[in-house]
Amino acid sequence: MQIQTVGILSPGDMGQAIAAVLNQHGLKTIAALDDRSDRTRQLAAAANIQDVGSLKQLVIESDVVLSVLVPAAATEAAQEVAQAIASVGKSILYVDANAIAPEKVRNIAQIIESNGGQFVDASIIGPPPRVPNRTRIYASGKQAIELKQLRDYGLDVRVIGDEIGQASGLKMCYAALTKGLTAIGTELLIAAHRLGLDQELWDEVSNSQPELAKILSRFLPSMTPKAHRWVGEMEEIADTFQALDLTERIFQGAADVYRLVKDTSLGRETPEENDRDRTLPEIITTLSQETLKLKNSPFKADKNSQK
């Protein structure tokens, strides 16, 4: 199969950046923007993604549909595309690149394949691919080799196996480290602020763990507008680890941290609104003050449940 048109579900921050790279390298990208938000439409227009209106039309015109959504929307989106595949009678390649557990990916593969489509499990590691060589797309499944065509259009696609679930499993393990560490760092820095030990802790971390200090300084400022998406990702990681007979509670706690952050003024910002000049102490001070005021804090709920 020669890939000429890629349908994007959905042109948010990551999907829009992927589409922009493909467009810049000569590949056509499309999206179904009926009933989508103004922000999504603006992001699509900025990346030169063509609006085809309906999901059915997206399936008709696409060779590949790339699903890049919040974890909670992955299954429903696949079901809708599967219905369109069955209706149109066209066997397109559906690529699930969402941060979801391997078991959920296998279920989604069955949904797509039972309606006549082909399926690839994929995972995106790294930021939106606006800078070359910083973002990898790992792929697995018997049809994954088809996705390697996108290497000719600016994407770093790496096939790692024939089994559905391998690519997603890699994402779960990697994100458990990076986003799990960010959650721990966020909570401990808030704790230090409330103890009046901000500077003392940061001086010690910078002296004894300089690489960790660099990581936290880089990750935390960009985390806040993404926290609402990372709640579901931590829950998917928890499901993954539980299925492997490992403790899931670490990542349920990380989900609680992001659940708390998303309800603050910083968490309600879009990535475009995020002030890149905002300092780490300013971020932690804001989070500390605003999370104390939240009535539905998961930490307060946990404390009350232990009484």
Side-chain angles (χ1 to χ4, degrees):
M1 175 192 67
Q2 180 64 41
I3 298 176
Q4 297 178 315
T5 302
V6 177
I8 304 293
L9 295 178
S10 146
D13 195 37
M14 181 65 76
Q16 182 253 21
I18 289 173
V21 171
L22 296 176
N23 286 332
Q24 289 164 11
H25 288 81
L27 206 60
K28 179 181 177 181
T29 62
I30 61 177
L33 300 180
D34 283 356
D35 302 320
R36 299 310 304 266
S37 68
D38 289 341
R39 176 177 180 261
T40 298
R41 290 177 176 277
Q42 290 167 4
L43 288 172
N48 293 317
I49 302 170
Q50 297 181 30
D51 178 17
V52 297
S54 69
L55 201 58
K56 182 177 180 179
Q57 192 62 35
L58 181 86
V59 169
I60 290 171
E61 296 190 27
S62 296
D63 301 304
V64 173
V65 171
L66 181 62
S67 178
V68 189
L69 303 161
V70 294
T75 300
E76 182 179 356
Q79 290 170 336
E80 292 175 351
V81 171
Q83 290 173 2
I85 290 172
S87 173
V88 172
K90 179 183 177 185
S91 182
I92 63 169
L93 186 65
Y94 187 89
V95 181
D96 191 298
N98 300 304
I100 55 179
E103 185 60 32
K104 182 175 286 188
V105 172
R106 287 187 281 268
N107 291 337
I108 290 174
Q110 185 174 8
I111 291 169
I112 295 295
E113 291 172 347
S114 65
N115 282 275
Q118 301 176 69
F119 187 85
V120 171
D121 174 23
S123 64
I124 303 168
I125 292 182
R130 299 184 180 94
V131 178
N133 304 317
R134 288 182 61 193
T135 307
R136 279 84 49 212
I137 300 178
Y138 292 93
S140 66
K142 290 182 172 56
Q143 305 299 325
I145 193 70
E146 298 283 1
L147 204 62
K148 289 188 73 173
Q149 293 180 53
L150 299 186
R151 294 179 65 89
D152 297 332
Y153 299 96
L155 296 181
D156 184 356
V157 178
R158 306 182 185 188
V159 176
I160 61 172
D162 291 337
E163 295 181 16
I164 300 299
Q166 288 177 298
S168 292
L170 177 62
K171 172 69 173 183
M172 293 290 93
C173 292
Y174 184 83
L177 174 64
T178 56
K179 294 169 186 174
L181 179 60
T182 301
I184 292 171
T186 299
E187 187 170 18
L188 71 87
L189 290 174
I190 290 174
H193 178 79
R194 292 180 181 175
L195 290 167
L197 297 171
D198 309 59
Q199 195 60 52
E200 290 80 0
L201 175 65
W202 193 252
D203 288 346
E204 178 56 40
V205 172
S206 299
N207 179 60
S208 61
Q209 305 288 338
E211 292 302 317
L212 179 57
K214 290 178 183 178
I215 289 171
L216 294 176
S217 296
R218 187 170 78 250
F219 284 7
L220 263 68
S222 62
M223 171 273 294
T224 52
K226 303 172 186 175
H228 70 284
R229 298 206 310 264
W230 290 5
V231 173
E233 192 165 332
M234 292 300 103
E235 292 172 339
E236 294 291 332
I237 293 170
D239 289 345
T240 301
F241 279 55
Q242 185 178 37
L244 296 169
D245 293 326
L246 296 168
T247 181
E248 72 281 8
R249 287 176 288 181
I250 298 170
F251 304 103
Q252 290 172 344
D256 279 345
V257 173
Y258 292 130
R259 193 173 289 110
L260 197 63
V261 172
K262 79 177 180 64
D263 290 328
T264 66
S265 60
L266 302 184
R268 290 191 294 270
E269 292 179 339
T270 66
E272 297 83 28
E273 294 169 338
N274 188 29
D275 183 358
R276 301 301 174 91
D277 295 325
R278 193 181 285 136
T279 66
L280 186 57
E282 289 173 338
I283 293 169
I284 296 302
T285 297
T286 300
L287 292 179
S288 178
Q289 291 173 347
E290 293 191 18
T291 53
L292 275 175
K293 300 175 184 177
L294 293 174
K295 294 181 180 179
N296 297 319
S297 165
F299 304 117
K300 293 177 182 177
D302 287 347
K303 185 176 179 180
N304 291 335
S305 68
Q306 294 170 5
K307 291 183 178 178

